[in-house]
Amino acid sequence: MSEPIPVVRTTDHGTAKLMPDVDRARAWLLTVDGAPQSYVDLDEPTHLEFEYARRLGYVLDVVAEPGRPLDVLHLGGGALTLPRYVAATRPGSRQDVVEADRALLTLVTERLPVPDGADIALHPADARAWLEAAPDDMADVLIADVFGGSRVPAHLTSLGYAREAERVLRAGGVYLANLADAAPFAFLRSQLATLAAVFEELVLIAEPGVLRGRRFGNAVLVAAHRPLDTAALARRTASDVFPARVEHGPALREFTGAARPVPDAEAVPSPEPPDGAFGIG
């Protein structure tokens, strides 16, 4: 029996709602407890509606030559937006998706099935626990987009976590994280310091208004042991409908300031967004 539209289900960690986009025939917005989690266009998987998702997509486009298959580990599944993007832009890629909410995975795979032939393995598990059990050198890219409600869980913000992420990446691998913060950026600076203790190269992508402290917003953090193509990233992010800045090198070290790496015992979740920052539906 078909479900009413929008589709509303109680999942393991909240109330999920799938709402169709009236402007796109097979596009859907996923919210959990009113917070937007994912947007998927089943007919056009390369369409990334959310600004932060486009920025993650820009990084994915430049980490290797166009079209080259990659082994990608996704911590946080949502509606599988980025796994679909990788499958479309880099055919033959092998992908693992770790999502703690089993019922949410069931909803997404039932209502928004992944394309035939996409090598996407789904793992209902806690991201940190799964990561700690994963083998060394298993991934070319690790994407962390895990939110408990609207906050990144504390156990995914520590130095111990960062070391596990670095361990599962290959020598030329790239770590990407979607974070959210506002001035004075205590959380974001601590994350930069934590990853700088493990990785040699860091890049931060965010809207100028967020970096100037004018509003709460997303920031994409990129880390690797090799230089990243910041010029290509800057061109892509500057030409976006909502342009962003790419910070790296001395400017990023200055932004990080005196922040220290976060040990497990002192880890805290990302800050609570102000009312209305992300909530819809």
Side-chain angles (χ1 to χ4, degrees), residues 93-105:
S93 293
R94 181 184 62 81
Q95 302 186 77
D96 290 281
V97 179
V98 183
E99 169 58 59
D101 195 326
R102 182 186 295 267
L104 178 62
L105 275 181

Side-chain angles (χ1 to χ4, degrees), residues 15 19 38 78 93 103 112 115 124-125 128 145 156 160 185 191 218 224 258-259 271:
T15 300
M19 294 178 285
S38 302
S93 293
L112 310 174
R128 176 77 179 262
D145 187 14
L156 302 180
F185 302 112
Q191 293 306 287
N218 291 89

Side-chain angles (χ1 to χ4, degrees), residues 84-171:
R84 298 172 202 268
Y85 181 84
V86 171
T89 59
R90 297 183 177 276
S93 293
R94 181 184 62 81
Q95 302 186 77
D96 290 281
V97 179
V98 183
E99 169 58 59
D101 195 326
R102 182 186 295 267
L104 178 62
L105 275 181
T106 299
L107 168 63
V108 169
T109 53
E110 284 179 3
R111 302 295 308 211
L112 310 174
V114 297
D116 291 339
D119 187 359
I120 302 173
L122 305 179
H123 309 278
D126 173 79
R128 176 77 179 262
W130 195 95
L131 188 66
E132 290 174 346
D136 295 355
D137 306 321
M138 68 164 289
D140 300 307
V141 178
L142 191 165
I143 304 173
D145 187 14
V146 183
F147 283 79
S150 298
R151 306 177 76 183
V152 179
H155 67 306
L156 302 180
T157 69
S158 70
L159 188 58
Y161 161 76
R163 286 173 175 152
E164 289 295 327
E166 192 270 347
R167 180 184 60 80
V168 304
L169 284 168
R170 295 176 182 138

Side-chain angles (χ1 to χ4, degrees), residues 52-53 55-56 143-147 150-153 156-158 161 175-182 185-195 203-207 210 216-222 255 268-271 273 278:
Y52 84 85
R55 290 164 194 158
L56 290 168
I143 304 173
D145 187 14
V146 183
F147 283 79
S150 298
R151 306 177 76 183
V152 179
L156 302 180
T157 69
S158 70
Y161 161 76
Y175 175 86
L176 294 78
N178 174 36
L179 305 173
D181 201 2
F185 302 112
F187 175 74
L188 184 56
R189 294 180 205 272
S190 76
Q191 293 306 287
L192 287 162
T194 298
L195 286 167
V203 173
L204 183 68
I205 307 170
E207 277 189 45
V210 172
F216 187 95
N218 291 89
V220 169
L221 200 161
V222 189
F255 178 84
V268 296
S270 62
F278 298 131

